[in-house]
Structures are given as structure tokens and as C-alpha cells.
Amino acid sequence: MVVFNDSGKIAYEQAQTIKGNLRPESFELARQHGVVYRKRLELKPGFYQIRVGVTEPKTERIGTASAVVDVPNLKSNKLKMSSLQI
């Protein structure tokens, strides 16, 4: 995962390996519906682009996703709305 600020500089980056050992019934559910992984980041107010990539080593399949996020300044005491869940 890499997070770029509005100047294009890296604000956060991390490489992480996640291993799982699922029972057959849990594996089938994960295959059908996916696996949810959450990571909480503390970012200063501003615009960011978040890029995530995953690799499944056994099959060498890869996937990527990116999103632009506006982190509001909550200290301004103004009403803010977001599609992010907090």
C-alpha cells in the first residue's frame, strides 16, 4: 500500500504479508464473497491517493485498486460528509 499526498510525495507506505489457513467451508465463502482487510491510517487533512496491490503467490494472480480521498479538517467545527466509514 502506498499513500501519496497532493504533491505526489509518499505520505505512507507499507508492504505486508498476510497468511490464512481456512477450513474448506470458510474458503468457499471467501472465494464467493472475498476477504475484508482493514487498515487504519492517521493522515493530516488534505487530498491523498491511496494505491493497494495484492499478489497470490501460489497462482501468481495480482490485483490493484486506487482511490482519491479527502481527509477533512475536523477541528474547523463545520459539518463534514464522507463516503468513508469511521
Side-chain angles (χ1 to χ4, degrees):
M1 172 177 24
V2 180
V3 178
F4 296 95
N5 65 18
D6 59 354
S7 299
K9 295 186 179 182
I10 295 175
Y12 177 87
E13 68 179 320
Q14 179 186 34
Q16 184 176 6
T17 300
I18 300 171
K19 295 182 179 184
N21 187 11
L22 301 174
R23 293 173 293 164
E25 60 273 12
S26 298
F27 176 78
E28 185 58 30
L29 283 172
R31 191 177 71 73
Q32 291 176 7
H33 302 288
V35 175
V36 175
Y37 174 78
R38 293 190 173 123
K39 175 77 176 172
R40 174 172 256 168
L41 301 177
E42 291 188 28
L43 299 170
K44 296 178 182 178
F47 287 95
Y48 297 90
Q49 182 184 62
I50 301 173
R51 298 179 188 175
V52 179
V54 295
T55 303
E56 202 288 312
K58 197 172 191 179
T59 63
E60 297 184 356
R61 288 193 238 176
I62 62 170
T64 61
S66 67
V68 175
V69 177
D70 178 13
V71 177
N73 182 357
L74 298 177
K75 293 180 181 179
S76 68
N77 292 324
K78 294 181 181 178
L79 178 64
K80 301 288 181 182
M81 295 183 73
S82 172
S83 61
L84 294 177
Q85 297 178 7
I86 299 175

